[in-house]
Amino acid sequence: MSHDRDALHDRHSPALPSSRGPLSAGVLALLRGEGPPPGAELAAEADPYGDDLQLALYCCYELHYRGFAGVDPALEWDPALLTVRRAMENRFLGALRQDVEVHRDVRSAVKELETEPVEGSGASWFLRDEGELRHLREYAAMRSVYHLKEADPHAWVLPRLWGRAKAAMVSVEFDEFGGGRAERVHAKLFADLMADLGLETAYGVYLEHSPAPALAVVNLMSLLGLHRALRGALVGHFAAVEITSSPGSRRLAEAMRRTGAGPAAEFFYDEHVEADAVHEQVVRHEVIGGLLEEEPYLEDDVVFGMDATVFLEDRLGDHVMACWQAGRPALRSPLPEPVAVSA
Amino acid sequence: MPNDPSERTPAPGTSQRPAEARRVVVPRRGPMLVDGPVEVELEDGTVASSDRFRVALCTCRLSERYPWCDTSHRRRR
């Protein structure tokens, strides 16, 4: 099979990014077939939220999604790579367990999430009130590492659910994936938004630009999606996203309208206002309710998933706002000028 | 007998609800949940339609996307 290996590599997969430290350099070398995996001790010493660990972990996880151009797809299950991935996961998850303040129960966590501030200070508020097109382009580029995978890692939880929780989770996923219509898959709607903003729409193009806090948000959902032991936290994570999405999307839809970003850009967030108002109800009552009926001992995990999601989203929001308020780009490298898009 | 429970729930052993019965979830607070596709006729005679698997109908009348819920019913702090 090895003589055919090049043919197996997906040429449409994204390119490998540049390394951001010793850990990511080691993982990338292994992915290129150029070296042994980095030692697990590097993971134990790394900043759990920093660029080096987050990029290395992101690259390990990407093998489970679309892979990278020129990288052997069999590395997805390479024991040596999985060993270093596990060390990074332990570092990241250990930090979250220590740093995230958790609510007492699901009810109190939901109650806080659904209470809207009259005036907020996060990125969606800034974008609504005073964001310029350059801010919206940066925001969309760094969010693309998330939205172009939208609902993908949540599908991994399906075999681990049963009864009401499973049926409801599938309904929401069906809606996320366009209700059977390719042109309405939410990840596709986001690609259309990117086109309106003059961004490249190919999967993974902006990984290179994305700062650690944006990667951490994606790594959390991959981590929770891939581990059956963390299924309660995955459900909690999904609930937190759906509960907070609708009001945030409303602000972003207003931002798109005010700046004249384009019809697809408006439509993406308008669709999320409506869709996520439904998903929120279904996830809270049917998915969480159904899961805890079957497995009541998972409540602490559900709460952890919700609170860890908010914790990492807040870190990303703080990063973005600190950069913009200082007049710097929030991305690691500047975006090229808008590309002209045909259709 | 509109309140006969046998008319609201499927008989044991049947795999699905009767085709003509559509269950609507009406919470004390928050939107009314209806299985789609739905058409909603508004006061001015216009019809809003959605083919989503389920829709959340605004009951607080605060929604800017009426008749669909946009979570405007939420408490603010």
Side-chain angles (χ1 to χ4, degrees), chain A residues 106-227:
Chain A
V106 167
R107 177 189 285 265
S108 58
V110 167
K111 190 170 176 189
E112 180 163 343
L113 276 184
E114 65 169 5
T115 306
E116 270 293 290
V118 175
E119 272 310 315
S121 54
S124 66
W125 299 85
F126 171 84
L127 291 171
R128 182 192 69 176
D129 295 335
E130 49 188 307
E132 298 167 24
L133 270 172
R134 67 189 167 98
H135 296 118
L136 292 172
R137 295 183 76 236
E138 281 199 13
Y139 187 79
M142 83 173 74
R143 277 295 185 182
S144 69
V145 291
Y146 164 74
H147 282 301
L148 295 179
K149 287 184 169 66
E150 194 171 326
D152 284 346
H154 310 99
W156 286 324
V157 86
L158 295 175
R160 300 157 190 169
L161 299 177
W162 190 245
R164 276 170 71 205
K166 188 190 199 85
M169 191 73 191
V170 169
S171 317
V172 176
E173 286 283 89
F174 181 67
D175 207 37
E176 295 280 352
F177 294 136
R181 275 160 300 196
E183 71 280 9
R184 294 203 4 206
V185 176
H186 282 184
K188 167 71 168 91
L189 298 181
F190 193 78
D192 297 342
L193 167 149
M194 295 176 81
D196 265 2
L197 291 171
L199 294 166
E200 288 185 58
T201 60
Y203 182 92
V205 165
Y206 296 108
L207 171 58
E208 186 73 31
H209 298 75
S210 296
L215 301 184
V217 166
V218 181
N219 285 336
L220 177 70
M221 68 182 190
S222 302
L223 167 69
L224 302 181
L226 283 167
H227 290 266

Side-chain angles (χ1 to χ4, degrees), chain B:
Chain B
M1 288 223 298
N3 289 322
D4 182 341
S6 67
E7 290 191 18
R8 288 189 285 135
T9 47
T14 58
S15 60
Q16 53 192 7
R17 300 168 212 174
E20 69 275 16
R22 173 155 294 166
R23 185 167 299 189
V24 177
V25 180
V26 187
R28 193 170 51 184
R29 216 180 113 254
M32 194 184 292
L33 299 175
V34 187
D35 283 356
V38 298
E39 289 187 342
V40 182
E41 190 179 317
L42 302 170
E43 220 167 44
D44 62 2
T46 57
V47 173
S49 61
S50 172
D51 57 3
R52 202 179 299 288
F53 73 101
R54 192 163 300 163
V55 299
L57 291 178
C58 172
T59 55
C60 71
R61 303 262 169 169
L62 294 174
S63 175
E64 287 167 22
R65 303 190 66 77
Y66 193 84
W68 320 120
C69 172
D70 72 349
T71 69
S72 289
H73 58 275
R74 289 185 184 177
R75 292 194 178 89
R76 289 167 187 275
R77 63 179 167 227

Side-chain angles (χ1 to χ4, degrees), chain A residues 21-28 38-40 42-44 46 52-53 56 84 88:
Chain A
L23 195 51
S24 51
V27 167
L28 288 163
L42 276 178
D52 192 24
L53 183 142
V84 66
M88 291 190 281

